[in-house]
Amino acid sequence: MREQLKIASENDYIRIQQFLQKAGISTAGVEEHIHQFVIMENEEGELLATVGFEKEGVDGILRSLVVSPSLMQSDILLLFKSIVQLAQKHGVKQLYLLTNKASSLHFFQMMNFQQISYSALPELLKEHSYLKKLPNPQDVYVMFYAAS
């Protein structure tokens, strides 16, 4: 099987929306930020992974990371490298991610993300609509990556 990466376009929105909904992930804001998403698909055009970011000033927050169980770790690494490069092209200097899964921390550390406290998040990101919807934002793990 040969996977390919690409920056999402308007034509990919419905597929991304369905992929995220199937995984139980919010699709709010995806359409407005579609060009800030990277997708991985197989030769048949089936979506295998997606990740996006939203920008606030020079900061970005990763979102909507969904990966098919069939993907290898090297594919996921490629996905991450691609989203970091895309974020840099959009002027993002620092990338942040939030997860509620302690089991994923090691993986993100392998991607050069460092765990930080919630209070270390930039104020603009704390005001982001995604974070405002979290019932207890202090209960999530926050990770940081210097993109520049």
Side-chain angles (χ1 to χ4, degrees):
M1 181 162 57
R2 191 165 169 266
E3 293 83 16
Q4 68 176 20
L5 283 168
K6 71 175 196 172
I7 298 170
S9 71
E10 289 85 359
N11 295 335
D12 298 307
Y13 172 66
I14 298 298
R15 292 188 314 140
I16 293 171
Q17 181 185 39
Q18 292 169 344
F19 190 69
L20 295 176
Q21 286 173 339
K22 186 176 175 183
I25 303 291
S26 170
T27 61
V30 172
E31 191 168 19
E32 300 90 277
H33 299 96
I34 194 71
H35 296 286
Q36 293 168 208
F37 274 77
V38 173
I39 61 174
M40 183 176 281
E41 55 190 10
N42 63 19
E43 291 173 323
E44 291 79 39
E46 178 188 1
L47 212 50
L48 301 174
T50 184
V51 65
F53 72 92
E54 292 186 27
K55 184 180 173 188
E56 294 288 343
V58 296
D59 299 317
I61 186 163
L62 288 182
R63 58 160 299 168
S64 307
L65 172 64
V66 177
V67 178
S68 168
S70 65
L71 285 183
M72 296 174 50
Q73 191 168 336
S74 58
D75 295 323
I76 301 168
L77 179 62
L78 221 75
L79 183 72
F80 261 82
K81 285 183 178 179
S82 296
I83 197 65
V84 167
Q85 289 174 348
L86 182 61
Q88 288 172 325
K89 285 181 184 175
H90 282 264
V92 171
K93 304 286 185 210
Q94 294 87 220
L95 272 174
Y96 296 85
L97 68 82
L98 284 83
T99 182
N100 58 359
K101 297 177 182 154
S103 60
S104 63
L105 294 178
H106 179 70
F107 172 77
F108 292 127
Q109 288 166 341
M110 289 184 352
M111 301 289 121
N112 294 319
F113 280 82
Q114 301 169 8
Q115 189 172 351
I116 60 171
S117 68
Y118 180 82
S119 62
L121 265 176
E123 290 303 317
L124 271 177
L125 291 183
K126 287 181 187 173
E127 296 300 315
H128 192 279
S129 61
Y130 170 74
L131 292 173
K132 288 201 165 265
K133 292 178 185 172
L134 294 174
N136 297 308
Q138 292 80 5
D139 293 343
V140 297
Y141 300 97
V142 179
M143 302 199 77
F144 163 81
Y145 177 87
S148 57

